[in-house]
Amino acid sequence: MDDRKRKRRDEVRRTSFNIPGGSGRPDLPPSTPVVGSHPQYISMNSQGYIPQIYPPHPGGQRSAMISPVIQPHRPQGRPPPPPSLPNHGPGFLSPPRGVPPPPPSQLYPADMIHSTYRPRHTHGFEKKPVTKNLARTFAIRINRDITHAKTAHDILNIVNRDLENFDGVNISTAIHRLASFDMNPMMLEEIRSSEEFHQLVSKIPSKSSSLAIRNIANVLWGFAKLEYRSENVLNFLCNCLLYHKISQGLPQNIANSLWAIALLRYSPNDRVMKAIEFEIQKKIADFTDQNIANCLLSFAKCEDYAPQEATMLCLKSELLKKIDGFSAQALSNSVWGLSKLGAHDATVFKELVDASMPLLPSYNAQNIALTLWGFANVDFNPGKDCLQKFCDVAQKKIREFSPQNLSNLVWSLSKLEAYHPVFDDVVQQAIELLPHLSAQSVSNILWSFAHLDKPISREFLSAIASNASIDYSDWTPQNLSNAVWSISVSVSMQGVKGQSDANQKLFDLLSNEICSRLKDPKTSSEFSCQNLSNYFWSLGTRLESPGLPALENLMTSALIKMQDFKPQEIANIAWSCARLDYYNKAAMNLIADSVVQKMDEYEGQNLSNVLWAFAKLRHSCTALYKAASTYIPKKLHTFSYQHFGNMLWGCASLGFKDSEMASSVKAEVLQRASSGDAPESFQLANILWALSVSDAMDRETWNFLMKQISSNLNVKQETLTQVFQSKLILEARSPEQPWTIPDSLEDIAEKAWKDVTRKVRISEFHSRVSQTLLNMSEEHEMEYMTPDGCFSIDIAFPKEKIALEIDGPLHFTRAGEPLGDSLARDDMLRARGWYVASIPFYSWSSDDPDGNMKLLNGILTRARSAVNA
């Protein structure tokens, strides 16, 4: 190079950066080569690989600039190679073998990208933008670094270093790679809250033009895996799908986008979802087993969107065509998705069962749990053999089951009424995983045993009750109510054996939490009708009252939602109140109104329990019993013998009589028993007593019932008592007909009745009446036994045959009307020649002795007048 050219070169260097005599970089010494913008021109210095600037040559050609280390030679007029091809020709040093190239940030610092050049024929400063090829080269090298990153933090460092140079592909790759690492919740939160991640996400809109459908799908997939949900960003990405990209997508891209939208619980507008559905229908033939399964799974998770029938038809049709190639994961996801969508197609499910059998040994814990849950959710029973094989595989892999999978496994099997020894293994595994079990998992396991009427392991109950790490305040009302219901079923099923210390301790913990929430109107409103009904039932089953204030709070919460209760739930509440002897007049009236309004929805068990409860609480409601008597003949097929007995007992106790209803019930009972449906003796005795008290008994029915009861050798004491009392009632009211008891029963029935009669208890009210009579100089006998030994009269005047019955509250309805059995007692005494007078509790005043004497004097005066007449 001659002096003239060298001088011109130095001038260009100085004027290009406006630093006389320098290198153009104030932070570098004058001798340091200036960093350029073309990666193919590389020379070596002591600091590594340094790209050099080669200013434009006059005429549009570029000539190689002399490097401080090596001066390249290139014939004038010959252009340099294109930027995409490395040049390692004469005068250029190649990197040493085995040494990886430096990262993009070292090759292309930020200030280099915005460097400016001043051509020889130009004056002033003009920036020359980075060429597309150069930007692409940056992006390729950045993508390579992201792909080779070993940790999530390495990717964040790349973002921090090179984000200015990122294009859409780099953003997509970075987010996808971040989501690909296994991270615990703490690490996930650290990544999501990092400044680099937010800067990366915020760059998405500015790079939308370089985002292809695959990149958008990868970003959505990454957001879903990272559990990152930004409404604005998701709206932007879905708009990109809708207006520009979705039609270009492959099945994998479409399925992944849909999967991410579902997992993020994001609800795009219907146009986005319909566009996705359109592409699914158009490209369904190219969908793989995983694509199909993911689409079904995703639609199932989209709670606010239901796929079109045409889309579901396409997916199911393609599933059946390709089912032989489905993997275990695809099969289980398909079962779960179809089940969750309510798409119960027996043909599809049978094909899924057949396809799963050969792959069953390869099923992991989640595949087993999802498949069985899918079957149970739509009440599809795959068959005993299939369930047995699933259970056998689950038993071998029980150690692999997560807490969630454990609870799903036993819940599904219990719904399908399939008990297997794997239940015991589940309990042992659950005890080991107890610190990690959610409230939902614990309550599901308890519920599963109760649903199958299987005793719950005391070891499991003890482990739960003694685990101090369990915070019951975190349990949902559903978890609490299911748990108390489940452990109460165990008590109901096993009696005293089921009432273990662990059971009681756990019940107390759960009950206390429920009662504390019911105090606050805000938290009490979170309890559903089923939750409240289950807690009522549990208290009634255990005969454990949490106290009147707690019961009042419980009932108040129920009354608010009374119109929303189902028949079963209403029946449970009424039954439990009767068992606990808890009476709330307003509640009983509302229950009666609700039952009358929804009478068509009631079946035998629910209606009989309601009528029994009203009678037990002595709450008479004529409208309820009239509506029931009209409806019962239409629903006889839904009643069991026990239901008939409870219903008739309720009517007889409250003195309600309906001959038409009674006749229909008698005919149904006789027809069933004659056809071989043999009832228990105590059930027949209940029916016998109720028909006798309500004056609905006839000779044919009596003889038939006597024959059925006497054929059972193991007749209980209570049954014998009811049989003999029924005979006494009928003899008193219909003496013209013979009401005989078979010889095998008569003696033991009479003895049972007389044994009960001799067991008397004198109440305080009884004693006060007796003392008042003595003060009036009226001699009498307390608990006088009639000559036949069948009755004990409260206060008797034997010579005059005057009987005074001291009737407390249990002898009357809440309205003060005598109950059916009290009326029957009086009739039986009158049949023996006694004048019977009742002294009701509501007529007696402890604060008015004179008034009490006046009351007794009037009763005796009327009695003696009647006797003497």
Side-chain angles (χ1 to χ4, degrees), residues 596 599-604 607 626-639 644 647 658 660-665 668 672:
V596 171
M599 184 66 73
D600 292 345
E601 301 176 22
Y602 279 75
E603 296 188 352
L607 186 56
K626 281 186 177 180
S629 65
T630 304
Y631 181 69
I632 286 171
K634 304 174 186 177
K635 284 283 187 176
L636 290 175
H637 63 282
T638 67
F639 282 74
F644 281 133
M647 179 268 297
D658 187 293
E660 184 178 345
M661 179 192 73
S663 297
S664 64
V665 171
E668 180 71 15
R672 286 191 195 180

PDB file of all heavy atoms in Angstrom, residues 596 599-604 607 626-639 644 647 658 660-665 668 672:
ATOM      1  N   VAL A 596     -93.981 -31.016  49.920  1.00  0.00           N
ATOM      2  CA  VAL A 596     -95.246 -30.968  49.185  1.00  0.00           C
ATOM      3  C   VAL A 596     -95.011 -30.443  47.769  1.00  0.00           C
ATOM      4  O   VAL A 596     -95.569 -30.972  46.794  1.00  0.00           O
ATOM      5  CB  VAL A 596     -96.280 -30.095  49.932  1.00  0.00           C
ATOM      6  CG1 VAL A 596     -97.510 -29.862  49.067  1.00  0.00           C
ATOM      7  CG2 VAL A 596     -96.670 -30.754  51.249  1.00  0.00           C
ATOM      8  N   MET A 599     -93.081 -33.222  45.698  1.00  0.00           N
ATOM      9  CA  MET A 599     -93.506 -34.579  46.023  1.00  0.00           C
ATOM     10  C   MET A 599     -93.204 -35.562  44.902  1.00  0.00           C
ATOM     11  O   MET A 599     -92.839 -36.718  45.144  1.00  0.00           O
ATOM     12  CB  MET A 599     -95.004 -34.579  46.344  1.00  0.00           C
ATOM     13  CG  MET A 599     -95.551 -35.927  46.792  1.00  0.00           C
ATOM     14  SD  MET A 599     -94.865 -36.456  48.388  1.00  0.00           S
ATOM     15  CE  MET A 599     -95.717 -35.349  49.504  1.00  0.00           C
ATOM     16  N   ASP A 600     -93.322 -35.129  43.656  1.00  0.00           N
ATOM     17  CA  ASP A 600     -93.077 -36.031  42.520  1.00  0.00           C
ATOM     18  C   ASP A 600     -91.645 -36.538  42.467  1.00  0.00           C
ATOM     19  O   ASP A 600     -91.382 -37.561  41.816  1.00  0.00           O
ATOM     20  CB  ASP A 600     -93.404 -35.325  41.200  1.00  0.00           C
ATOM     21  CG  ASP A 600     -94.893 -35.046  41.048  1.00  0.00           C
ATOM     22  OD1 ASP A 600     -95.673 -35.649  41.813  1.00  0.00           O
ATOM     23  OD2 ASP A 600     -95.271 -34.230  40.188  1.00  0.00           O
ATOM     24  N   GLU A 601     -90.727 -35.845  43.117  1.00  0.00           N
ATOM     25  CA  GLU A 601     -89.312 -36.240  43.086  1.00  0.00           C
ATOM     26  C   GLU A 601     -88.960 -37.220  44.202  1.00  0.00           C
ATOM     27  O   GLU A 601     -87.854 -37.763  44.216  1.00  0.00           O
ATOM     28  CB  GLU A 601     -88.428 -34.996  43.205  1.00  0.00           C
ATOM     29  CG  GLU A 601     -88.642 -33.967  42.111  1.00  0.00           C
ATOM     30  CD  GLU A 601     -87.811 -32.724  42.325  1.00  0.00           C
ATOM     31  OE1 GLU A 601     -86.799 -32.801  43.048  1.00  0.00           O
ATOM     32  OE2 GLU A 601     -88.177 -31.649  41.793  1.00  0.00           O
ATOM     33  N   TYR A 602     -89.878 -37.444  45.127  1.00  0.00           N
ATOM     34  CA  TYR A 602     -89.574 -38.289  46.278  1.00  0.00           C
ATOM     35  C   TYR A 602     -89.861 -39.748  45.974  1.00  0.00           C
ATOM     36  O   TYR A 602     -90.836 -40.089  45.289  1.00  0.00           O
ATOM     37  CB  TYR A 602     -90.395 -37.853  47.499  1.00  0.00           C
ATOM     38  CG  TYR A 602     -89.801 -36.662  48.213  1.00  0.00           C
ATOM     39  CD1 TYR A 602     -89.911 -35.382  47.688  1.00  0.00           C
ATOM     40  CD2 TYR A 602     -89.094 -36.815  49.401  1.00  0.00           C
ATOM     41  CE1 TYR A 602     -89.350 -34.288  48.321  1.00  0.00           C
ATOM     42  CE2 TYR A 602     -88.532 -35.729  50.056  1.00  0.00           C
ATOM     43  CZ  TYR A 602     -88.668 -34.472  49.508  1.00  0.00           C
ATOM     44  OH  TYR A 602     -88.102 -33.392  50.144  1.00  0.00           O
ATOM     45  N   GLU A 603     -89.008 -40.605  46.498  1.00  0.00           N
ATOM     46  CA  GLU A 603     -89.202 -42.040  46.409  1.00  0.00           C
ATOM     47  C   GLU A 603     -89.401 -42.608  47.814  1.00  0.00           C
ATOM     48  O   GLU A 603     -89.418 -41.875  48.798  1.00  0.00           O
ATOM     49  CB  GLU A 603     -88.031 -42.695  45.693  1.00  0.00           C
ATOM     50  CG  GLU A 603     -87.923 -42.242  44.236  1.00  0.00           C
ATOM     51  CD  GLU A 603     -86.894 -43.019  43.452  1.00  0.00           C
ATOM     52  OE1 GLU A 603     -86.158 -43.818  44.074  1.00  0.00           O
ATOM     53  OE2 GLU A 603     -86.820 -42.836  42.229  1.00  0.00           O
ATOM     54  N   GLY A 604     -89.532 -43.930  47.877  1.00  0.00           N
ATOM     55  CA  GLY A 604     -89.917 -44.565  49.127  1.00  0.00           C
ATOM     56  C   GLY A 604     -89.095 -44.200  50.336  1.00  0.00           C
ATOM     57  O   GLY A 604     -89.631 -43.796  51.378  1.00  0.00           O
ATOM     58  N   LEU A 607     -89.319 -40.284  51.356  1.00  0.00           N
ATOM     59  CA  LEU A 607     -90.627 -39.882  51.855  1.00  0.00           C
ATOM     60  C   LEU A 607     -90.945 -40.555  53.190  1.00  0.00           C
ATOM     61  O   LEU A 607     -91.463 -39.913  54.120  1.00  0.00           O
ATOM     62  CB  LEU A 607     -91.700 -40.234  50.821  1.00  0.00           C
ATOM     63  CG  LEU A 607     -93.112 -39.748  51.139  1.00  0.00           C
ATOM     64  CD1 LEU A 607     -93.130 -38.239  51.364  1.00  0.00           C
ATOM     65  CD2 LEU A 607     -94.068 -40.123  50.011  1.00  0.00           C
ATOM     66  N   LYS A 626    -101.666 -35.488  53.755  1.00  0.00           N
ATOM     67  CA  LYS A 626    -102.657 -35.641  52.682  1.00  0.00           C
ATOM     68  C   LYS A 626    -101.973 -35.776  51.328  1.00  0.00           C
ATOM     69  O   LYS A 626    -102.348 -36.622  50.504  1.00  0.00           O
ATOM     70  CB  LYS A 626    -103.596 -34.439  52.684  1.00  0.00           C
ATOM     71  CG  LYS A 626    -104.678 -34.504  53.748  1.00  0.00           C
ATOM     72  CD  LYS A 626    -105.664 -33.354  53.590  1.00  0.00           C
ATOM     73  CE  LYS A 626    -106.789 -33.468  54.603  1.00  0.00           C
ATOM     74  NZ  LYS A 626    -107.772 -32.355  54.473  1.00  0.00           N
ATOM     75  N   ALA A 627    -100.952 -34.931  51.092  1.00  0.00           N
ATOM     76  CA  ALA A 627    -100.223 -35.008  49.821  1.00  0.00           C
ATOM     77  C   ALA A 627     -99.513 -36.352  49.694  1.00  0.00           C
ATOM     78  O   ALA A 627     -99.496 -36.964  48.611  1.00  0.00           O
ATOM     79  CB  ALA A 627     -99.216 -33.868  49.737  1.00  0.00           C
ATOM     80  N   ALA A 628     -98.939 -36.830  50.801  1.00  0.00           N
ATOM     81  CA  ALA A 628     -98.222 -38.105  50.773  1.00  0.00           C
ATOM     82  C   ALA A 628     -99.174 -39.269  50.526  1.00  0.00           C
ATOM     83  O   ALA A 628     -98.867 -40.192  49.752  1.00  0.00           O
ATOM     84  CB  ALA A 628     -97.475 -38.297  52.081  1.00  0.00           C
ATOM     85  N   SER A 629    -100.337 -39.258  51.175  1.00  0.00           N
ATOM     86  CA  SER A 629    -101.274 -40.371  51.030  1.00  0.00           C
ATOM     87  C   SER A 629    -101.802 -40.470  49.601  1.00  0.00           C
ATOM     88  O   SER A 629    -102.128 -41.560  49.119  1.00  0.00           O
ATOM     89  CB  SER A 629    -102.434 -40.205  52.014  1.00  0.00           C
ATOM     90  OG  SER A 629    -103.192 -39.041  51.699  1.00  0.00           O
ATOM     91  N   THR A 630    -101.889 -39.336  48.917  1.00  0.00           N
ATOM     92  CA  THR A 630    -102.324 -39.344  47.518  1.00  0.00           C
ATOM     93  C   THR A 630    -101.226 -39.848  46.593  1.00  0.00           C
ATOM     94  O   THR A 630    -101.489 -40.521  45.590  1.00  0.00           O
ATOM     95  CB  THR A 630    -102.743 -37.924  47.087  1.00  0.00           C
ATOM     96  OG1 THR A 630    -103.758 -37.448  47.971  1.00  0.00           O
ATOM     97  CG2 THR A 630    -103.261 -37.920  45.669  1.00  0.00           C
ATOM     98  N   TYR A 631     -99.986 -39.562  46.950  1.00  0.00           N
ATOM     99  CA  TYR A 631     -98.845 -39.864  46.075  1.00  0.00           C
ATOM    100  C   TYR A 631     -98.312 -41.279  46.287  1.00  0.00           C
ATOM    101  O   TYR A 631     -97.828 -41.904  45.344  1.00  0.00           O
ATOM    102  CB  TYR A 631     -97.737 -38.843  46.339  1.00  0.00           C
ATOM    103  CG  TYR A 631     -96.511 -39.005  45.501  1.00  0.00           C
ATOM    104  CD1 TYR A 631     -96.539 -38.750  44.129  1.00  0.00           C
ATOM    105  CD2 TYR A 631     -95.317 -39.429  46.054  1.00  0.00           C
ATOM    106  CE1 TYR A 631     -95.408 -38.902  43.353  1.00  0.00           C
ATOM    107  CE2 TYR A 631     -94.176 -39.579  45.288  1.00  0.00           C
ATOM    108  CZ  TYR A 631     -94.230 -39.319  43.935  1.00  0.00           C
ATOM    109  OH  TYR A 631     -93.110 -39.469  43.163  1.00  0.00           O
ATOM    110  N   ILE A 632     -98.388 -41.791  47.526  1.00  0.00           N
ATOM    111  CA  ILE A 632     -97.775 -43.083  47.851  1.00  0.00           C
ATOM    112  C   ILE A 632     -98.283 -44.233  46.983  1.00  0.00           C
ATOM    113  O   ILE A 632     -97.480 -45.047  46.502  1.00  0.00           O
ATOM    114  CB  ILE A 632     -97.974 -43.390  49.354  1.00  0.00           C
ATOM    115  CG1 ILE A 632     -97.035 -42.498  50.185  1.00  0.00           C
ATOM    116  CG2 ILE A 632     -97.697 -44.864  49.659  1.00  0.00           C
ATOM    117  CD1 ILE A 632     -97.280 -42.548  51.670  1.00  0.00           C
ATOM    118  N   PRO A 633     -99.592 -44.365  46.734  1.00  0.00           N
ATOM    119  CA  PRO A 633    -100.041 -45.481  45.879  1.00  0.00           C
ATOM    120  C   PRO A 633     -99.402 -45.508  44.501  1.00  0.00           C
ATOM    121  O   PRO A 633     -99.303 -46.573  43.879  1.00  0.00           O
ATOM    122  CB  PRO A 633    -101.562 -45.241  45.787  1.00  0.00           C
ATOM    123  CG  PRO A 633    -101.914 -44.523  47.044  1.00  0.00           C
ATOM    124  CD  PRO A 633    -100.743 -43.627  47.304  1.00  0.00           C
ATOM    125  N   LYS A 634     -98.932 -44.353  43.993  1.00  0.00           N
ATOM    126  CA  LYS A 634     -98.286 -44.298  42.683  1.00  0.00           C
ATOM    127  C   LYS A 634     -96.826 -44.741  42.739  1.00  0.00           C
ATOM    128  O   LYS A 634     -96.230 -45.048  41.707  1.00  0.00           O
ATOM    129  CB  LYS A 634     -98.339 -42.872  42.128  1.00  0.00           C
ATOM    130  CG  LYS A 634     -99.735 -42.289  42.034  1.00  0.00           C
ATOM    131  CD  LYS A 634     -99.660 -40.827  41.604  1.00  0.00           C
ATOM    132  CE  LYS A 634    -101.018 -40.161  41.627  1.00  0.00           C
ATOM    133  NZ  LYS A 634    -100.918 -38.719  41.274  1.00  0.00           N
ATOM    134  N   LYS A 635     -96.252 -44.740  43.943  1.00  0.00           N
ATOM    135  CA  LYS A 635     -94.817 -45.019  44.082  1.00  0.00           C
ATOM    136  C   LYS A 635     -94.544 -46.242  44.938  1.00  0.00           C
ATOM    137  O   LYS A 635     -93.461 -46.370  45.508  1.00  0.00           O
ATOM    138  CB  LYS A 635     -94.133 -43.796  44.723  1.00  0.00           C
ATOM    139  CG  LYS A 635     -93.934 -42.631  43.779  1.00  0.00           C
ATOM    140  CD  LYS A 635     -92.769 -42.891  42.840  1.00  0.00           C
ATOM    141  CE  LYS A 635     -92.442 -41.665  42.007  1.00  0.00           C
ATOM    142  NZ  LYS A 635     -91.251 -41.874  41.169  1.00  0.00           N
ATOM    143  N   LEU A 636     -95.507 -47.152  45.055  1.00  0.00           N
ATOM    144  CA  LEU A 636     -95.342 -48.311  45.929  1.00  0.00           C
ATOM    145  C   LEU A 636     -94.110 -49.136  45.577  1.00  0.00           C
ATOM    146  O   LEU A 636     -93.469 -49.730  46.449  1.00  0.00           O
ATOM    147  CB  LEU A 636     -96.598 -49.191  45.868  1.00  0.00           C
ATOM    148  CG  LEU A 636     -97.860 -48.612  46.516  1.00  0.00           C
ATOM    149  CD1 LEU A 636     -99.034 -49.528  46.271  1.00  0.00           C
ATOM    150  CD2 LEU A 636     -97.644 -48.373  47.996  1.00  0.00           C
ATOM    151  N   HIS A 637     -93.765 -49.187  44.283  1.00  0.00           N
ATOM    152  CA  HIS A 637     -92.631 -50.008  43.850  1.00  0.00           C
ATOM    153  C   HIS A 637     -91.298 -49.489  44.378  1.00  0.00           C
ATOM    154  O   HIS A 637     -90.296 -50.213  44.366  1.00  0.00           O
ATOM    155  CB  HIS A 637     -92.591 -50.083  42.328  1.00  0.00           C
ATOM    156  CG  HIS A 637     -92.371 -48.755  41.668  1.00  0.00           C
ATOM    157  ND1 HIS A 637     -93.380 -47.821  41.518  1.00  0.00           N
ATOM    158  CD2 HIS A 637     -91.259 -48.195  41.125  1.00  0.00           C
ATOM    159  CE1 HIS A 637     -92.903 -46.753  40.909  1.00  0.00           C
ATOM    160  NE2 HIS A 637     -91.625 -46.953  40.660  1.00  0.00           N
ATOM    161  N   THR A 638     -91.268 -48.235  44.834  1.00  0.00           N
ATOM    162  CA  THR A 638     -90.012 -47.680  45.363  1.00  0.00           C
ATOM    163  C   THR A 638     -89.871 -47.887  46.868  1.00  0.00           C
ATOM    164  O   THR A 638     -88.849 -47.532  47.437  1.00  0.00           O
ATOM    165  CB  THR A 638     -89.922 -46.170  45.064  1.00  0.00           C
ATOM    166  OG1 THR A 638     -90.925 -45.471  45.815  1.00  0.00           O
ATOM    167  CG2 THR A 638     -90.112 -45.887  43.590  1.00  0.00           C
ATOM    168  N   PHE A 639     -90.905 -48.470  47.503  1.00  0.00           N
ATOM    169  CA  PHE A 639     -90.872 -48.683  48.952  1.00  0.00           C
ATOM    170  C   PHE A 639     -90.379 -50.087  49.277  1.00  0.00           C
ATOM    171  O   PHE A 639     -90.757 -51.061  48.615  1.00  0.00           O
ATOM    172  CB  PHE A 639     -92.276 -48.504  49.549  1.00  0.00           C
ATOM    173  CG  PHE A 639     -92.706 -47.069  49.711  1.00  0.00           C
ATOM    174  CD1 PHE A 639     -93.067 -46.307  48.615  1.00  0.00           C
ATOM    175  CD2 PHE A 639     -92.764 -46.486  50.968  1.00  0.00           C
ATOM    176  CE1 PHE A 639     -93.480 -44.996  48.752  1.00  0.00           C
ATOM    177  CE2 PHE A 639     -93.164 -45.169  51.130  1.00  0.00           C
ATOM    178  CZ  PHE A 639     -93.520 -44.420  50.025  1.00  0.00           C
ATOM    179  N   PHE A 644     -92.313 -49.079  54.215  1.00  0.00           N
ATOM    180  CA  PHE A 644     -93.749 -49.174  54.504  1.00  0.00           C
ATOM    181  C   PHE A 644     -93.991 -49.023  56.004  1.00  0.00           C
ATOM    182  O   PHE A 644     -94.899 -48.314  56.437  1.00  0.00           O
ATOM    183  CB  PHE A 644     -94.297 -50.524  54.025  1.00  0.00           C
ATOM    184  CG  PHE A 644     -94.543 -50.590  52.552  1.00  0.00           C
ATOM    185  CD1 PHE A 644     -94.114 -51.671  51.804  1.00  0.00           C
ATOM    186  CD2 PHE A 644     -95.226 -49.573  51.890  1.00  0.00           C
ATOM    187  CE1 PHE A 644     -94.347 -51.751  50.442  1.00  0.00           C
ATOM    188  CE2 PHE A 644     -95.461 -49.636  50.526  1.00  0.00           C
ATOM    189  CZ  PHE A 644     -95.013 -50.726  49.798  1.00  0.00           C
ATOM    190  N   MET A 647     -93.371 -45.368  57.193  1.00  0.00           N
ATOM    191  CA  MET A 647     -94.401 -44.460  56.709  1.00  0.00           C
ATOM    192  C   MET A 647     -95.718 -44.676  57.459  1.00  0.00           C
ATOM    193  O   MET A 647     -96.357 -43.720  57.933  1.00  0.00           O
ATOM    194  CB  MET A 647     -94.578 -44.673  55.202  1.00  0.00           C
ATOM    195  CG  MET A 647     -95.639 -43.801  54.546  1.00  0.00           C
ATOM    196  SD  MET A 647     -97.263 -44.630  54.517  1.00  0.00           S
ATOM    197  CE  MET A 647     -96.897 -46.043  53.484  1.00  0.00           C
ATOM    198  N   ASP A 658    -105.998 -42.923  56.338  1.00  0.00           N
ATOM    199  CA  ASP A 658    -106.429 -42.872  54.946  1.00  0.00           C
ATOM    200  C   ASP A 658    -106.631 -44.311  54.487  1.00  0.00           C
ATOM    201  O   ASP A 658    -105.660 -45.050  54.262  1.00  0.00           O
ATOM    202  CB  ASP A 658    -105.385 -42.171  54.082  1.00  0.00           C
ATOM    203  CG  ASP A 658    -105.856 -41.949  52.654  1.00  0.00           C
ATOM    204  OD1 ASP A 658    -106.034 -42.942  51.932  1.00  0.00           O
ATOM    205  OD2 ASP A 658    -106.053 -40.779  52.267  1.00  0.00           O
ATOM    206  N   GLU A 660    -107.757 -45.613  51.710  1.00  0.00           N
ATOM    207  CA  GLU A 660    -107.328 -45.972  50.355  1.00  0.00           C
ATOM    208  C   GLU A 660    -105.830 -46.248  50.312  1.00  0.00           C
ATOM    209  O   GLU A 660    -105.385 -47.222  49.686  1.00  0.00           O
ATOM    210  CB  GLU A 660    -107.693 -44.845  49.392  1.00  0.00           C
ATOM    211  CG  GLU A 660    -107.365 -45.167  47.943  1.00  0.00           C
ATOM    212  CD  GLU A 660    -107.771 -44.050  46.989  1.00  0.00           C
ATOM    213  OE1 GLU A 660    -108.543 -43.159  47.395  1.00  0.00           O
ATOM    214  OE2 GLU A 660    -107.299 -44.071  45.833  1.00  0.00           O
ATOM    215  N   MET A 661    -105.054 -45.386  50.940  1.00  0.00           N
ATOM    216  CA  MET A 661    -103.609 -45.602  50.970  1.00  0.00           C
ATOM    217  C   MET A 661    -103.280 -46.891  51.705  1.00  0.00           C
ATOM    218  O   MET A 661    -102.446 -47.691  51.264  1.00  0.00           O
ATOM    219  CB  MET A 661    -102.918 -44.422  51.654  1.00  0.00           C
ATOM    220  CG  MET A 661    -101.402 -44.583  51.747  1.00  0.00           C
ATOM    221  SD  MET A 661    -100.635 -43.377  52.845  1.00  0.00           S
ATOM    222  CE  MET A 661    -101.153 -44.010  54.437  1.00  0.00           C
ATOM    223  N   ALA A 662    -103.964 -47.109  52.854  1.00  0.00           N
ATOM    224  CA  ALA A 662    -103.703 -48.315  53.641  1.00  0.00           C
ATOM    225  C   ALA A 662    -104.019 -49.570  52.840  1.00  0.00           C
ATOM    226  O   ALA A 662    -103.278 -50.569  52.880  1.00  0.00           O
ATOM    227  CB  ALA A 662    -104.520 -48.277  54.922  1.00  0.00           C
ATOM    228  N   SER A 663    -105.101 -49.531  52.083  1.00  0.00           N
ATOM    229  CA  SER A 663    -105.478 -50.701  51.282  1.00  0.00           C
ATOM    230  C   SER A 663    -104.437 -50.998  50.216  1.00  0.00           C
ATOM    231  O   SER A 663    -104.089 -52.160  49.971  1.00  0.00           O
ATOM    232  CB  SER A 663    -106.839 -50.456  50.622  1.00  0.00           C
ATOM    233  OG  SER A 663    -107.841 -50.298  51.603  1.00  0.00           O
ATOM    234  N   SER A 664    -103.927 -49.968  49.557  1.00  0.00           N
ATOM    235  CA  SER A 664    -102.911 -50.176  48.519  1.00  0.00           C
ATOM    236  C   SER A 664    -101.630 -50.737  49.112  1.00  0.00           C
ATOM    237  O   SER A 664    -100.977 -51.596  48.494  1.00  0.00           O
ATOM    238  CB  SER A 664    -102.642 -48.874  47.777  1.00  0.00           C
ATOM    239  OG  SER A 664    -102.092 -47.900  48.649  1.00  0.00           O
ATOM    240  N   VAL A 665    -101.255 -50.270  50.306  1.00  0.00           N
ATOM    241  CA  VAL A 665    -100.039 -50.780  50.949  1.00  0.00           C
ATOM    242  C   VAL A 665    -100.213 -52.237  51.344  1.00  0.00           C
ATOM    243  O   VAL A 665     -99.309 -53.070  51.136  1.00  0.00           O
ATOM    244  CB  VAL A 665     -99.684 -49.920  52.182  1.00  0.00           C
ATOM    245  CG1 VAL A 665     -98.559 -50.568  52.985  1.00  0.00           C
ATOM    246  CG2 VAL A 665     -99.288 -48.517  51.764  1.00  0.00           C
ATOM    247  N   GLU A 668     -99.896 -54.468  48.336  1.00  0.00           N
ATOM    248  CA  GLU A 668     -98.506 -54.565  47.869  1.00  0.00           C
ATOM    249  C   GLU A 668     -97.679 -55.478  48.763  1.00  0.00           C
ATOM    250  O   GLU A 668     -96.887 -56.305  48.277  1.00  0.00           O
ATOM    251  CB  GLU A 668     -97.889 -53.164  47.834  1.00  0.00           C
ATOM    252  CG  GLU A 668     -96.446 -53.119  47.359  1.00  0.00           C
ATOM    253  CD  GLU A 668     -96.295 -53.401  45.881  1.00  0.00           C
ATOM    254  OE1 GLU A 668     -97.302 -53.354  45.153  1.00  0.00           O
ATOM    255  OE2 GLU A 668     -95.144 -53.681  45.458  1.00  0.00           O
ATOM    256  N   ARG A 672     -96.014 -59.052  47.510  1.00  0.00           N
ATOM    257  CA  ARG A 672     -94.550 -59.271  47.548  1.00  0.00           C
ATOM    258  C   ARG A 672     -94.200 -60.494  48.376  1.00  0.00           C
ATOM    259  O   ARG A 672     -93.383 -61.332  47.971  1.00  0.00           O
ATOM    260  CB  ARG A 672     -93.849 -58.040  48.137  1.00  0.00           C
ATOM    261  CG  ARG A 672     -93.792 -56.855  47.217  1.00  0.00           C
ATOM    262  CD  ARG A 672     -92.846 -55.815  47.787  1.00  0.00           C
ATOM    263  NE  ARG A 672     -93.002 -54.524  47.150  1.00  0.00           N
ATOM    264  CZ  ARG A 672     -92.293 -53.452  47.468  1.00  0.00           C
ATOM    265  NH1 ARG A 672     -91.384 -53.518  48.432  1.00  0.00           N
ATOM    266  NH2 ARG A 672     -92.489 -52.314  46.842  1.00  0.00           N
TER     267      ARG A 672
END
